[in-house]
Amino acid sequence: MFKGIDHIVIAVKDLDAAIKQYEGIYGVQATERGEPPGAGFTNAFFRFGGPSYVELVSPTNDSGPVGRRVASGGEGVYLVAMGVDDLQATLADLRSKGVRLIGDPGPDKPVAGQVFIHPSATGGVLTQLVQR
Amino acid sequence: MFKGIDHIVIAVKDLDAAIKQYEGIYGVQATERGEPPGAGFTNAFFRFGGPSYVELVSPTNDSGPVGRRVASGGEGVYLVAMGVDDLQATLADLRSKGVRLIGDPGPDKPVAGQVFIHPSATGGVLTQLVQR
């Protein structure tokens, strides 16, 4: 079952500049700034006390997914992450409907990383599935 | 004060097809399908029982904002709406910081319609401000 919007990820060219812009707009400080190993981007998070948050990502190279996105499509919303209450059940349902997935481990296998619905199935929106 | 993500709006070319796709993915029916007068788009909503929702919009002409977006940038996330607890105070704060706004009535005037932060201030994300 889908529970709503968990977070959005915004791709930007200059993380420092974007953090400064967003700190001014949101009136809160960015937290948990980092660089996930091998991901090809640096990131920072904005939290608001509620269930949803905003993540900024900025590519560290042109060959990763975020780098390719910024090179081809510029800055903007990179993905929308939707919260689900049971990721395995959601994946089984989406498989049965033939929805194109990215990172799906397949039936009866544990999810080892991030799982997404391909933009071709969602009107162009890379959609991550997140179980908290 | 920003409270989190209120909703996202996804621009699609074919609303019927997108509703069918998203109903299959989300496992819920679209609600409140309509056509706001003069807006240049038809829309439908997906709600999940939580505070956030997803709106689909599809242009009815090429000259409105949604039509121009789909013509130039294709389908995808059209805007992100952020919830705020006091819209007038948020607007005053953003004005004082020189953040470029769309639909801002100006100081000491009531908000008469929708208000947005211009994408040039947010890494390319048209950001609506919503007080519930």
Side-chain angles (χ1 to χ4, degrees):
Chain A
M1 194 177 75
F2 280 74
K3 297 169 65 182
I5 301 166
D6 186 271
H7 66 280
I8 60 167
V9 179
I10 298 170
V12 299
K13 292 177 182 171
D14 182 333
L15 187 64
D16 288 331
I19 287 173
K20 193 173 172 188
Q21 282 182 310
Y22 271 98
E23 285 182 342
I25 289 168
Y26 290 154
V28 295
Q29 300 285 302
T31 59
E32 303 159 68
R33 190 164 168 178
E35 184 171 350
F41 61 79
T42 55
N43 61 0
F45 296 81
F46 289 91
R47 298 180 189 276
F48 309 94
S52 60
Y53 66 91
V54 172
E55 179 181 356
L56 302 181
V57 297
S58 185
T60 53
N61 61 57
D62 291 336
S63 57
V66 175
R68 294 198 305 271
R69 149 59 198 258
V70 170
S72 65
E75 299 183 315
V77 176
Y78 173 65
L79 69 78
V80 174
M82 299 294 293
V84 298
D85 62 349
D86 185 333
L87 181 55
Q88 292 289 1
T90 299
L91 290 176
D93 178 60
L94 295 175
R95 278 181 214 124
S96 75
K97 291 168 176 164
V99 175
R100 186 173 171 189
L101 300 168
I102 300 170
D104 175 24
D108 304 323
K109 291 180 184 163
V111 174
Q114 296 184 328
V115 185
F116 308 87
I117 303 173
H118 194 276
S120 63
T122 57
V125 181
L126 179 62
T127 303
Q128 188 175 355
L129 302 172
V130 177
Q131 179 184 346
R132 298 291 173 192
Chain B
M1 193 177 74
F2 280 73
K3 298 169 65 183
I5 301 165
D6 186 89
H7 67 281
I8 61 167
V9 179
I10 298 170
V12 299
K13 292 177 181 171
D14 181 334
L15 187 63
D16 288 329
I19 287 174
K20 193 174 171 188
Q21 282 183 310
Y22 271 98
E23 285 183 340
I25 289 168
Y26 290 155
V28 295
Q29 299 285 303
T31 59
E32 302 160 70
R33 190 165 168 179
E35 183 170 351
F41 60 79
T42 54
N43 61 0
F45 296 81
F46 288 91
R47 299 181 189 276
F48 307 95
S52 60
Y53 65 91
V54 172
E55 178 181 356
L56 301 182
V57 297
S58 185
T60 53
N61 61 56
D62 292 337
S63 57
V66 175
R68 294 198 305 272
R69 150 60 198 258
V70 170
S72 67
E75 301 184 315
V77 176
Y78 174 65
L79 68 77
V80 174
M82 299 294 293
V84 299
D85 62 349
D86 184 334
L87 181 54
Q88 292 288 0
T90 299
L91 289 176
D93 178 60
L94 296 175
R95 278 182 214 121
S96 76
K97 291 170 176 164
V99 175
R100 186 172 171 191
L101 300 168
I102 301 170
D104 176 25
D108 304 323
K109 291 181 185 162
V111 174
Q114 296 184 327
V115 185
F116 308 86
I117 303 173
H118 193 275
S120 63
T122 57
V125 182
L126 179 61
T127 303
Q128 188 176 354
L129 301 172
V130 177
Q131 181 184 344
R132 297 291 172 191

